[in-house]
């Protein structure tokens, strides 16, 4: 689904909601629309393992049933991993940063490490991109929290790997305008002339609350799970590790240039 746009995904979800007969609430007015809110959607051309949305229902239904029904109606390649009942602030307040895996075919580890070191040493790295508000120039350096440089063994490289194959793991703050992984690659080209000979593969691994000290990203749904409510009363402290097996995990602190 790497080349499906956000609108393509939204249409697929809206069709799935109708097929699954999910009682979605609609807005009032002359043109009612389903109350579905997307936050931090991935740009076209990247894959993602961590996309979130908020859905308002017109009647109470168990999160487990909602998740099962929607997942069964979605097209292959788009999976509903978890559904929880919202108990805290909206997602916009929680999704503070994203972790990205960027695979660079034809780029050696040392070449990538030198470019990353030059990027991180710069006070600012400005790039220009066409946005909905026209062509804008913005700083990519301040949005990048951490970068880890690895090789092909650290990532999900394709079956036939080139002779050289570098891997970047980025933690990028959510800013306005949003700094995307391709913007960071443009910045690397500006400061170190790093230009992969073929198209990079970019995958979002996680998004959620950011620990500014370690650069780790936590699970944004932790506060919404029933276990979190029980834990807050102190009656189930011994069950802190009981989590859904398919739930997103916090990203681990990264090493390397930072």
């Amino acid at each position: 689904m790497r080349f499906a746009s956000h609108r393509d995904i939204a249409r697929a979800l809206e069709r799935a909601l109708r097929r699954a007969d999910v009682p979605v609430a609609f807005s009032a007015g002359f043109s009612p629309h389903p109350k579905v809110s997307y936050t931090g959607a991935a740009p076209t051309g990247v894959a993602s393992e961590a996309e979130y949305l908020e859905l308002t229902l017109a009647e109470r239904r168990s999160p487990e049933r909602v998740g099962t029904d929607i997942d069964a109606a979605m097209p292959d390649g788009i999976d509903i991993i978890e559904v929880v009942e919202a108990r805290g602030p909206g997602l916009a307040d929680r999704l503070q940063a994203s972790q990205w895996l960027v695979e660079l075919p034809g780029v050696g580890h040392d070449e990538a490490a030198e470019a990353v070191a030059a990027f991180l040493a710069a006070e600012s790295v400005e790039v220009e991109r066409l946005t909905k508000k026209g062509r804008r120039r913005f700083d990519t350096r301040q949005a990048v929290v951490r970068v880890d440089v690895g090789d092909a063994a650290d990532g999900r490289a394709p079956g036939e790997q080139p002779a050289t194959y570098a891997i970047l793991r980025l933690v990028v703050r959510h800013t306005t305008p949003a700094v995307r992984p391709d913007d960071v690659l443009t910045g690397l080209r500006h400061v170190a002339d790093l230009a992969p000979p073929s198209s990079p593969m970019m995958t979002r691994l996680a998004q959620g609350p950011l620990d500014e000290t370690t650069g780790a990203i936590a699970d944004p749904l932790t506060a919404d799970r029933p276990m979190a409510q029980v834990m807050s009363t102190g009656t189930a402290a011994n069950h802190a590790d009981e989590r859904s097996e398919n739930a997103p995990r916090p990203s681990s602190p990264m090493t390397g240039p930072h």
Side-chain angles (χ1 to χ4, degrees):
M1 305 303 294
R2 194 177 294 271
F3 295 103
S5 70
H6 167 63
R7 187 57 194 147
D8 293 332
I9 302 297
R11 289 194 189 97
L13 176 69
E14 291 167 8
R15 287 194 294 267
L17 291 172
R18 290 194 296 269
R19 287 197 294 266
D21 197 26
V22 175
V24 182
F26 279 75
S27 62
F30 292 103
S31 301
H33 60 274
K35 290 187 175 181
V36 182
S37 176
Y38 302 89
T39 303
T44 304
V46 307
S48 179
E49 298 176 359
E51 297 302 297
Y52 296 88
L53 62 88
E54 294 175 284
L55 178 67
T56 302
L57 301 186
E59 63 184 53
R60 178 168 289 277
R61 184 168 291 187
S62 73
E64 294 78 11
R65 178 182 174 187
V66 172
T68 299
D69 290 348
I70 299 177
D71 189 53
M74 291 291 279
D76 291 342
I78 307 178
D79 300 312
I80 305 299
I81 303 301
E82 184 179 15
V83 174
V84 298
E85 183 176 354
R87 305 174 196 271
L91 282 173
D93 296 327
R94 309 186 208 179
L95 303 184
Q96 301 170 350
S98 290
Q99 182 182 13
W100 296 93
L101 178 74
V102 181
E103 306 175 35
L104 303 174
V107 176
H109 178 279
D110 292 345
E111 181 184 5
E114 290 177 4
V116 166
F119 180 90
L120 295 177
E123 291 187 5
S124 67
V125 180
E126 292 191 342
V127 303
E128 194 173 86
R129 172 162 51 85
L130 184 63
T131 69
K132 293 181 179 179
K133 296 183 178 181
R135 187 163 293 278
R136 297 188 63 180
R137 191 171 184 83
F138 52 91
D139 180 24
T140 59
R141 174 62 189 92
Q142 297 306 312
V144 176
V145 180
R146 304 194 66 148
V147 185
D148 183 40
V149 184
D151 54 28
D154 298 326
R156 295 181 301 280
E160 296 181 0
Q161 300 177 9
T164 53
Y165 201 94
I167 299 289
L168 302 183
R169 287 179 180 267
L170 315 172
V171 173
V172 183
R173 290 186 188 87
H174 294 174
T175 59
T176 303
V179 173
R180 309 183 310 201
D182 55 313
D183 296 323
V184 178
L185 293 181
T186 300
L188 290 172
R189 185 171 70 249
H190 287 175
V191 300
D193 199 27
L194 182 70
S198 57
S199 298
M201 301 282 284
M202 295 171 280
T203 304
R204 174 145 59 190
L205 302 179
Q207 57 175 327
L210 172 66
D211 185 325
E212 292 281 357
T213 302
T214 64
I217 297 177
D219 183 349
L221 302 183
T222 296
D224 298 316
R225 296 194 180 90
M227 178 58 68
Q229 304 301 309
V230 177
M231 288 291 292
S232 67
T233 67
T235 60
N238 293 331
H239 299 287
D241 293 330
E242 294 182 12
R243 298 179 60 189
S244 170
E245 183 176 342
N246 292 326
R249 298 299 197 268
S251 61
S252 57
M254 299 191 300
T255 59
H258 62 275

